[in-house]
Every structure is written in structure tokens, then in C-alpha cells.
Amino acid sequence: MTERKTIVSVKGLTKTYDNGHQALKGIDLDIQEGEILALLGPNGAGKTTLISTICGLVSPSDGSVSVAGFDIIKDFRKTRELIGLVPQELTLGAFDKVINTVSFSRGLYGKPADTALIDNLLDELSLGDKKHSMVQQLSGGMKRRVLIAKALSHEPRVLFLDEPTAGVDVELRKDMWAIVERLRQSGVTIILTTHYIEEAEEIADRVGIISGGELLELEEKQILMSKLGKKRLVIELKNPVDALPAELDEYGLTLSGDGTKLTYTFDARQERTGMTSLLSNIATAGLVVKDLNTQQSSLEDIFVDIVAAEA
Amino acid sequence: MNTEAVKAIYKNEMRRTRNTLLQSIAAPVISTALYFVVFGSAIGSRIESVEGVAYGAFIVPGLMMLSLLTQSISNASFGIFFPKFTGTIYEVMSAPVSFFEILLGYVGAAATKSFILGVLILITATFFVDLRIAHPFWMIGFFLLTCVTFSLFGFIIGLWADNFEKLQLIPSLIITPLVFLGGSFYSVDMLPAFWQKISLLNPVLYLISGFRWSFFEVSDVQVGISLSMILLFLLVCIAIVWAMFRTGYKLKP
């Protein structure tokens, strides 16, 4: 992954809105070609401001952004041609046919009309039979697909999806993930913002965690999870106990209701996890271990920890 | 220059017109026809000719101006206000288009609609009155300049307005009174001396006067002054739009 070419480079990006709200506080971020990057963060974290700035919808206060080596302000034509944006809101003109609004997008990006390409795109997004429908007659999920079709109509190399599955039912969310996966296979770099951890966990290669206008973490998903993840060791005892023996006080164990399971939480980042001494102390206390089981914490646990630590 | 984008915006706007053909074209034509019936035929038949021109014909340039001004402003302001209102403007703002190209697309389409409308009104007028056009080239010149200038003005209003009330405010509170008091239906010579002087402060008077001169060679002010005034207004609009775009006014936080 790391040898991949950087396609979007964000350096020291800050944004302070006119009302004084500082939405971005010095973001540095390199996005690699062909990856799926999930930007995870609570509402108001600055995710949308970040991608809006890269796409040219918001003027940066300081710092710079380049796409494929071109500056987003000086060479805005070159950078924007490479980018497609699917906004968070279902913003579509009410009185347009699907085919017209998608063709309009292509023209706007300076590409000559290409009926075959648009037809193909609509088919891929299961919009083929809705080609001549008015957009206001479509369901929310279909509208989302139309927005994706619009964003892809000019064959961008980088696609930004702002909360693609916000307020979308499970079925459609799975659909959306499949679409994203297909796009990745076609070589498109995808950046999506989300506040659904499971979404990042499911489809992203790398996860960036944004909170309060700062990029707190940026790691490959597995590394982030193992690096930051707390692990739980569940110890199953042969014979139930009524209370924890005094020898085990220092480990902060929890005992299950039936007295057969001890749970030990430890930090996988630490050199010494304390597991060995725990197990020997268990033996000293005269308990017999029946089974051992460790569990990785989910991205959600990690996320809550990081954001809580910053607050 | 992203000509595909200009074409896309222009075509999209023209398609919007076709979808709302009745409202965009038929309504203004019908209301103009009503003006002809009421002012031209019913009342006009009792009015002697004005400066040697039959009253029905005399009001044609004024009526055209009335429609051109109000429709240019309403088309162009709505054209840019609506995507702002629905949020679809995001796409134009994130596309590889310059502000000039956006302007060309939207204002070009609005001006085209006004031009078509003006031609239709002119044709409608020939059913009611005997028309002659003394200086066709000047007539077309004033006609086009007015379409472009007031579409530009409408575009400014559409950018500035952040609600429907503001969108209607300037057209109904300022433009309509200026057009009615600018000599659409009369020659300012008919007014008392004091009101004649006041009328000279009305920029629309110069437009109507110049336009009427191109038809009948009668005017309230010299045609050169008329032309200068409309060019001046065009320059003012261009300057305002340029300043708005430089600062990303209300489009780009």
C-alpha cells in the first residue's frame, strides 16, 4: 500500500468560517491512488468541510491542496476534472429527467456528450430503466444512485462520497458498498466520510479519524485496529468461584454472574500485557483454567477511546 | 475556456424554459396582447396621435421594454436562484468552470429567452397596429443590449437574494414603477414641467426613448444619451458581477 502514488495531498489546511468557527485546524493528509479512505468522525468534526475544500466548494483559509500534482486553486480546471463529488444531501433539480441531469453533469465537466458511456453508467447503477423518469419521482435510494451517476459521468479518478449511506436502509447500504467496491476495482480512488464505524470497517483500506477539525489518526484499518485496539482476555474456569481471590486484585478483572468467567482487558500496544503474571497468579490462587479466549476491540471502541481522549 | 460547460448550462436553462413554456412565453405574450386591446384599441382610439404617431403604435416600444426588462430580470434571477435554493449549485461550483463561463451560460440563456419573447411581442403587435421601424439596426441593437444588460442585472439579484421575498423585491418595488413612469404609455412631454425634470432621473426613460426613436424617430431625449445610459448600466452590472465573483459572494464560504 505504502508504495502507492499519492493522488491527493493536503498540507496544513485550515478553514475558519466568517462566523469565526474554525472547522479545520491544520490538516495534513496524503491520499493514495486506488485506495478507499474512510474519514470517520462525529457530526461537526470537519469532514464535509475538508472534502468541500478539496472539491472547490469552500475556500481554504490557509494551507494547500494538490490533486495529481496540480494546485486546487491555481490549476482548478485540471484538479476538478479529476474529481467527482457525491454530496450528502439529495440535491437534484426537481423537473429533470435522469438522463438529462446526468448528461448535464458530463457537459459541465467539459466532456463532450457520450450517449453510450452514460447509458452504460446508468445500467451499472441499476438506473437503466429509470433513464427517462423525472428525478422527483424516484425513491431516496435511486436519487442517491443518480447523484453517483452524475459524479461519475465525467470519468473522474477520485470520487468523494459525503455520507453515502446516511439515512439509508441496510439493504441499500450493502448495495452502496458493492458499488464502491466495483469502483475501486475500476481504479477509482474513493474517499468517503461516514459516522458509521461498521461502514469504515467493512469497506475502507485506510481510516482517518477526524474530530474537532483535526485528523487524530490515519492508519491502515488493520494496523489501526491492532495498534490501538484493546484486547480482552476471557478466562473460563473449571470450577465457579463466589468472589475474586485477593491475589488477582491488581488486574481489575470482572467476574461473570455464574462465577465461571473472568474478563481481563489489556492494551495490545504495551510491551508487557500482564497476561503471563495473571495466569501464574491464577494458578497460585488455586483456580483451574478451562479455556482462554482473546477478542479484538472493534473500530467503534477505538474511535470512542480516541475522541474521548482528545475531549 | 470550457465551452462544453457553457453549452451544458445554456441547454439546461433553455430546456427548463421548454418545460415551462406557458409560464415563460405564453403568459407575457397574452398580457401584452391585453395591453394592446385596452390601451391601444379601447383607450387609444380616443387619444389623438402622439408626436405624429398613432397611440397604438406609439406604445409598442414601451410595451416591449416593459416585458424585456421584467422578463430578463425574472428569468436570470430565477435561473441562478433556483439551484442555490435547491442546493444543486454545488455541482456548478465544483466543476472546472470559471465564473465567466457560468455567467455566459446563465445570462446567455436568460437573454435568449427575453429576445425570443420580444420578437413574439413584436409579432403580436403587428396584429393590432400598423408598425414601421425607421432604424432596424438601431432597434435590434437596443433590443439586444437591453436583453443582455437586464439579464445580467437579474443574475445579480438572483445571487444576492437568499429568499423568495428578496427575489421579488427589486423587480416589483423598483423596476415595475420605473418602467411605468419611464414613458411606456406616454411621452414625457405630456407631463407638467416639474415631473418632466423628475422623469429625467429615471434610467428606464432613456431606454424607452432610445428604443422608440429607432421605431418612429421621435424621442424624449437624444438617442446618443439613451445609448450612453444603457451602456453605462451594462458596465455597472459587469463591474458588480465581477466584484461578486472575485469574492465568491454568497456562493463560496
Side-chain angles (χ1 to χ4, degrees):
Chain A
M1 286 265 341
T2 39
E3 318 85 67
R4 274 186 173 159
K5 234 173 71 195
T6 296
I7 186 142
V8 179
S9 178
V10 179
K11 289 203 169 58
L13 189 66
T14 66
K15 175 63 191 179
T16 307
Y17 285 108
D18 287 343
N19 63 13
H21 173 63
Q22 195 178 7
L24 298 177
K25 300 171 183 164
I27 301 263
D28 290 295
L29 169 66
D30 279 342
I31 299 165
Q32 292 156 2
E33 189 155 24
E35 74 170 332
I36 299 182
L37 173 70
L39 294 171
L40 194 59
N43 290 327
K47 304 184 298 282
T48 299
T49 301
L50 174 60
I51 66 172
S52 298
T53 308
I54 300 173
C55 295
L57 292 172
V58 171
S59 310
S61 303
D62 204 1
S64 67
V65 181
S66 66
V67 179
F70 298 111
D71 184 80
I72 55 157
I73 293 169
K74 272 207 313 261
D75 296 312
F76 76 96
R77 284 183 200 270
K78 283 179 181 139
T79 65
R80 293 185 192 182
E81 265 172 29
L82 298 170
I83 293 178
L85 167 66
V86 181
Q88 188 173 341
E89 309 287 337
L90 292 174
T91 41
L92 282 165
F95 311 110
D96 269 333
K97 282 183 185 169
V98 170
I99 179 85
N100 289 341
T101 189
V102 176
S103 306
F104 169 69
S105 302
R106 184 172 168 86
L108 209 49
Y109 277 77
K111 296 282 173 81
D114 187 338
T115 331
L117 182 132
I118 301 286
D119 282 350
N120 195 22
L121 183 61
L122 292 178
D123 285 342
E124 258 181 52
L125 291 164
S126 318
L127 285 167
D129 56 335
K130 298 276 190 284
K131 210 161 102 174
H132 297 290
S133 304
M134 302 296 266
V135 286
Q136 80 264 34
Q137 291 164 348
L138 300 179
S139 65
M142 284 293 167
K143 282 183 184 157
R144 181 78 64 187
R145 285 160 188 271
V146 173
L147 286 173
I148 296 178
K150 281 164 77 73
L152 292 174
S153 63
H154 63 284
E155 306 152 89
R157 281 169 63 200
V158 184
L159 181 68
F160 288 89
L161 293 157
D162 196 2
E163 303 272 358
T165 57
V168 156
D169 64 37
V170 183
E171 189 92 358
L172 196 61
R173 192 177 303 168
K174 294 256 161 73
D175 258 18
M176 209 59 71
W177 293 347
I179 291 171
V180 168
E181 186 51 42
R182 277 211 305 281
L183 286 172
R184 185 247 290 272
Q185 276 161 17
S186 70
V188 178
T189 307
I190 294 160
I191 297 93
L192 60 96
T193 70
T194 183
H195 53 249
Y196 295 118
I197 315 259
E198 52 161 348
E199 187 155 278
E201 205 163 352
E202 182 79 23
I203 59 177
D205 297 315
R206 288 199 304 163
V207 178
I209 294 179
I210 296 188
S211 184
E214 288 175 279
L215 187 63
L216 303 179
E217 279 294 334
L218 177 66
E219 269 298 357
E220 283 182 33
K221 187 175 64 190
Q222 271 77 17
I223 296 181
L224 183 71
M225 286 172 67
S226 62
K227 185 171 127 190
L228 293 180
K230 287 220 168 65
K231 280 193 148 185
R232 276 199 309 258
L233 173 67
V234 181
I235 303 154
E236 208 174 319
L237 301 174
K238 195 169 180 201
N239 305 307
V241 293
D242 296 332
L244 287 168
E247 290 95 325
L248 306 178
D249 275 356
E250 57 180 297
Y251 299 101
L253 301 176
T254 52
L255 182 64
S256 65
D258 60 1
T260 59
K261 278 189 191 126
L262 300 171
T263 305
Y264 172 54
T265 310
F266 62 97
D267 194 338
R269 285 173 296 180
Q270 299 296 319
E271 196 125 306
R272 307 176 80 82
T273 58
M275 249 189 295
T276 322
S277 72
L278 170 65
L279 289 175
S280 81
N281 282 1
I282 286 176
T284 316
L287 303 177
V288 181
V289 175
K290 191 175 151 200
D291 194 12
L292 289 175
N293 177 19
T294 64
Q295 293 167 349
Q296 181 85 51
S297 56
S298 70
L299 206 45
E300 176 146 24
D301 304 328
I302 299 171
F303 176 70
V304 170
D305 281 353
I306 290 174
V307 175
E310 288 291 319
Chain B
M1 176 88 175
N2 186 346
T3 44
E4 288 293 338
V6 177
K7 259 162 54 186
I9 296 175
Y10 184 87
K11 271 169 62 183
N12 206 45
E13 285 299 291
M14 296 310 282
R15 185 166 49 228
R16 201 165 56 79
T17 310
R18 282 200 297 280
N19 292 343
T20 54
L21 207 58
L22 272 180
Q23 185 204 331
S24 305
I25 301 284
V29 170
I30 290 172
S31 67
T32 311
L34 287 174
Y35 279 120
F36 280 123
V37 173
V38 175
F39 288 100
S41 305
I43 299 176
S45 61
R46 291 158 191 258
I47 297 178
E48 283 176 44
S49 62
V50 183
E51 297 175 31
V53 181
Y55 185 71
F58 180 84
I59 62 171
V60 170
L63 277 179
M64 273 182 76
M65 277 291 166
L66 174 67
S67 292
L68 289 184
L69 261 57
T70 50
Q71 290 302 311
S72 295
I73 291 174
S74 123
N75 282 335
S77 62
F78 197 75
I80 188 70
F81 176 81
F82 195 62
K84 263 189 2 172
F85 180 72
T86 58
T88 51
I89 192 79
Y90 85 89
E91 196 178 17
V92 178
M93 298 306 295
S94 61
V97 289
S98 67
F99 284 123
F100 178 68
E101 288 151 5
I102 297 174
L103 191 70
L104 217 53
Y106 281 108
V107 173
T112 308
K113 284 181 219 173
S114 305
F115 189 81
I116 294 171
L117 184 71
V119 170
L120 287 176
I121 290 173
L122 199 59
I123 294 170
T124 312
T126 58
F127 289 109
F128 295 93
V129 294
D130 213 10
L131 266 186
R132 63 188 168 90
I133 300 170
H135 302 283
F137 287 107
W138 280 90
M139 193 281 264
I140 301 279
F142 273 114
F143 190 0
L144 276 175
L145 263 176
T146 305
C147 291
V148 171
T149 305
F150 283 84
S151 295
L152 205 54
F153 186 58
F155 189 82
I156 293 169
I157 293 173
L159 275 185
W160 163 78
D162 35 30
N163 56 44
F164 277 99
E165 198 198 353
K166 279 187 178 174
L167 193 66
Q168 302 294 342
L169 203 65
I170 292 187
S172 57
L173 285 189
I174 299 177
I175 300 299
T176 308
L178 285 185
V179 177
F180 274 87
L181 300 176
S184 305
F185 300 105
Y186 55 87
S187 161
V188 268
D189 286 347
M190 295 170 168
L191 296 175
F194 173 75
W195 288 104
Q196 282 187 33
K197 291 208 172 63
I198 294 287
S199 291
L200 290 176
L201 297 174
N202 180 355
V204 178
L205 170 86
Y206 298 88
L207 284 181
I208 294 177
S209 168
F211 199 45
R212 187 173 285 142
W213 173 85
S214 69
F215 279 79
F216 311 121
E217 295 185 294
V218 296
S219 60
D220 291 322
V221 291
Q222 276 187 341
V223 64
I225 298 176
S226 289
L227 189 64
S228 314
M229 285 299 282
I230 185 164
L231 287 175
L232 179 71
F233 193 59
L234 178 65
L235 287 177
V236 169
C237 287
I238 289 174
I240 293 173
V241 165
W242 186 74
M244 280 175 149
F245 279 176
R246 261 182 66 89
T247 55
Y249 177 83
K250 286 198 181 175
L251 283 175
K252 207 168 164 180

